């Protein structure tokens, strides 16, 4: 983009994921954590400067497999932040929680 400096993306970013199962794969836990270093968004054509702070963004899912074709799950996304922004001028992201039931009609 014309007028946007090189610092418009974080210099360090990455993530890690881990899964754990117990009770013969009846209960599953999955944790993913993403990280990015703070960075400055400098748009010289409009004389705008915006700093995105360093962030750690976690995603956590618990699943209970009731039968081979059905499961119950709970998901928590971005639960450590409130009004978190990953990009300049974007809307803030708040924590998101989901409860759900999956049913595979072809297996039941």
């Amino acid at each position: 983009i014309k007028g946007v400096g090189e610092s418009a993306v974080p210099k360090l970013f990455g993530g890690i994921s881990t899964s754990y199962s117990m009770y013969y794969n009846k209960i599953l836990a999955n944790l993913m954590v993403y990280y990015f270093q703070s960075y400055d968004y400098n748009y010289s054509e409009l004389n705008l400067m915006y700093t995105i702070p360093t962030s750690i963004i976690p995603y956590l899912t618990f699943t209970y497999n009731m039968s081979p074709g059905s499961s119950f799950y709970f998901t928590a996304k971005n639960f450590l932040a409130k009004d978190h922004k990953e990009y300049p001028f974007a809307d803030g992201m708040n924590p998101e929680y989901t409860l759900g039931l999956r049913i595979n009609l072809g297996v039941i």
Side-chain angles (χ1 to χ4, degrees):
I1 300 174
K2 185 179 178 183
V4 175
E6 288 182 20
S7 67
V9 295
K11 296 205 181 326
L12 178 63
F13 60 92
I16 189 167
S17 174
T18 185
S19 295
Y20 181 74
S21 65
M22 59 186 114
Y23 299 114
Y24 304 100
N25 290 330
K26 285 287 224 186
I27 300 174
L28 306 168
N30 185 13
L31 174 66
M32 297 176 285
V33 179
Y34 299 96
Y35 168 85
F36 63 85
Q37 186 178 15
S38 69
Y39 65 96
D40 295 325
Y41 183 88
N42 185 3
Y43 190 52
S44 61
E45 298 226 342
L46 295 177
N47 198 23
L48 293 173
M49 176 73 156
Y50 192 83
T51 299
I52 301 292
T54 297
S55 292
I56 296 174
I57 306 166
Y59 295 83
L60 180 65
T61 301
F62 289 104
T63 304
Y64 174 68
N65 294 313
M66 297 178 285
S67 68
S70 62
S71 62
F72 178 76
Y73 65 89
F74 168 76
T75 301
K77 297 179 181 178
N78 196 32
F79 55 86
L80 293 180
K82 184 174 178 167
D83 199 31
H84 161 78
K85 290 189 178 189
E86 289 186 42
Y87 304 101
F89 318 115
D91 291 337
M93 297 179 352
N94 288 308
E96 179 182 318
Y97 304 97
T98 307
L99 286 173
L101 177 65
R102 290 186 191 108
I103 298 175
N104 184 345
L105 299 175
V107 176
I108 296 178

